[in-house]
Amino acid sequence: MQTTRQNPDPGNPLEVLVVGEAIMDIVVSPQGSVAYPGGSPTNVAYGLGRLGVETALLTSIGDDPRGTAIEQHLNGAGVALLPGSRRPGRTATATATLADDGSAHYDFDIYWALPATAPATLPKILHTGSIATFLAPGAAAVKELLLQSHQRCLVTYDPNIRPALLGSHAEAKSIFEELVPLTDVVKLSDEDAQWLYPDLQLDDVPRHILGLGARLVAITVGSRGSLLATGQAHAVVPAVQSTVADTIGAGDSYMSALIHGLLHRGNEGFSAAALAPLGQAAAKAAAITVRRAGANPPTLAELHMDLPEQEALVQ
């Protein structure tokens, strides 16, 4: 049965609308195979719901048991699935094969077509990214939504590069650079940055992306922490030390916590003083996630737990 729940008060803007793919992650490890609802945008939406943020997801899932499992998963965190997000057919899958160090290699079976649906009102923050912004035919609909929205709400973007699903490097880079001017916040992993810009030093990537029109760039560097930069300042934030079960969903939890911080700080979130606290909260969310299997982000109570203090270098 398709969910039709939307923003409970149409007179007030939804806090966050996430637009992007929902897939079933099949995790293969020496212990066997387990399936989890996933897809980077879905993980971000779920993470926001766990943090108490009023969140809706616009996606495309099948009318099969996997689609039902994804919908129930989202509803469990209070995330609304926008009407039109379920379609006839099968739900996409991503198979993650885990290495001994917990890192994941992905294989995809996915078709992405965004439904012809738009929210009744714009949210405070619109987030998109990953496969949804690169894979035709749905990518064109995502871009059109950004064109309509980017001057009317805050837009966050995580390209979450998956080379196996992209065309040529030149084509993918062109798509990314066409979308950046339609966004305010861009978050990448170091692997994303190095794939997109193999000729740039990692420290030079934020400057390049800011030059394309973004207001804030965050780059995660795994156990080495993250870098957040605006045109006026940047902060280097160490990672929170953690025993790693696996890294699935860590970057998405970082993104959810970053959006949560921006939602509550407003324009102050782009100030030099805000960069370190934003990065520290996001790093804590990622650290909690990697301690447990699958994309299992923290609740707001867990995010407020006492963890070892991390100092950030603001320059």
Side-chain angles (χ1 to χ4, degrees):
M1 181 176 179
Q2 183 169 320
T3 297
T4 57
R5 179 161 57 97
Q6 292 206 53
N7 182 12
D9 183 358
N12 293 319
L14 182 73
E15 288 189 304
V16 180
L17 170 63
V18 179
V19 180
E21 74 274 5
I23 61 181
M24 189 63 75
D25 279 327
I26 302 169
V27 181
V28 179
S29 71
Q31 289 72 43
S33 177
V34 182
Y36 301 93
S40 176
T42 298
N43 290 343
V44 172
Y46 183 78
L48 285 163
R50 298 262 288 179
L51 293 175
V53 176
E54 184 188 27
T55 306
L57 177 68
L58 178 60
T59 189
S60 179
I61 55 176
D63 58 358
D64 57 356
R66 286 173 173 165
T68 299
I70 290 171
E71 183 173 0
Q72 291 174 344
H73 172 72
L74 290 165
N75 287 342
V79 177
L81 191 67
L82 284 193
S85 292
R86 295 203 72 169
R87 53 168 174 74
R90 71 180 190 274
T91 297
T93 60
T95 301
T97 302
L98 299 183
D100 292 338
D101 63 359
S103 62
H105 169 76
Y106 289 88
D107 294 298
F108 295 90
D109 176 15
I110 182 169
Y111 171 77
W112 168 244
L114 191 67
T117 303
T121 59
L122 284 174
K124 294 178 182 177
I125 297 179
L126 188 154
H127 173 75
T128 191
S130 193
I131 298 164
T133 59
F134 293 98
L135 189 63
V142 174
K143 183 178 181 181
E144 181 60 30
L145 184 57
L146 295 186
L147 284 166
Q148 296 171 3
S149 308
H150 77 282
Q151 293 182 330
R152 301 163 61 196
C153 66
L154 188 73
V155 177
T156 62
Y157 177 36
D158 177 2
N160 196 39
I161 297 294
R162 294 287 180 255
L165 290 171
L166 304 182
S168 69
H169 174 270
E171 180 183 8
K173 179 182 173 184
S174 176
I175 291 171
F176 172 75
E177 294 196 336
E178 288 175 1
L179 291 181
V180 169
L182 307 179
T183 70
D184 298 283
V185 179
V186 177
K187 176 261 176 190
L188 309 90
S189 69
D190 57 332
E191 292 179 347
D192 295 336
Q194 290 162 358
W195 191 88
L196 284 165
Y197 300 108
D199 297 328
L200 291 181
Q201 295 295 317
L202 189 62
D203 289 345
D204 294 327
V205 173
R207 185 181 304 110
H208 178 76
I209 295 174
L210 290 168
L212 295 173
R215 297 172 62 193
L216 170 64
V217 176
I219 298 182
T220 59
V221 198
S223 62
R224 291 184 288 148
S226 59
L227 167 67
L228 292 85
T230 66
Q232 291 71 45
H234 71 272
V236 178
V237 180
V240 176
Q241 297 303 308
S242 185
T243 301
V244 177
D246 65 52
T247 61
I248 296 171
D252 299 326
S253 292
Y254 184 103
M255 187 77 245
S256 296
L258 182 61
I259 293 171
H260 176 265
L262 290 167
L263 181 67
H264 293 286
R265 290 176 182 270
N267 280 329
E268 291 183 4
F270 296 91
S271 68
L275 295 184
L278 284 171
Q280 288 165 339
K284 185 186 292 186
I288 293 170
T289 301
V290 302
R291 294 177 183 179
R292 44 210 193 190
N296 190 354
T299 63
L300 187 59
E302 288 175 322
L303 192 62
H304 289 161
M305 288 191 314
D306 289 333
L307 290 177
E309 291 295 328
Q310 302 293 309
E311 294 184 358
L313 305 177
V314 182
Q315 301 172 350

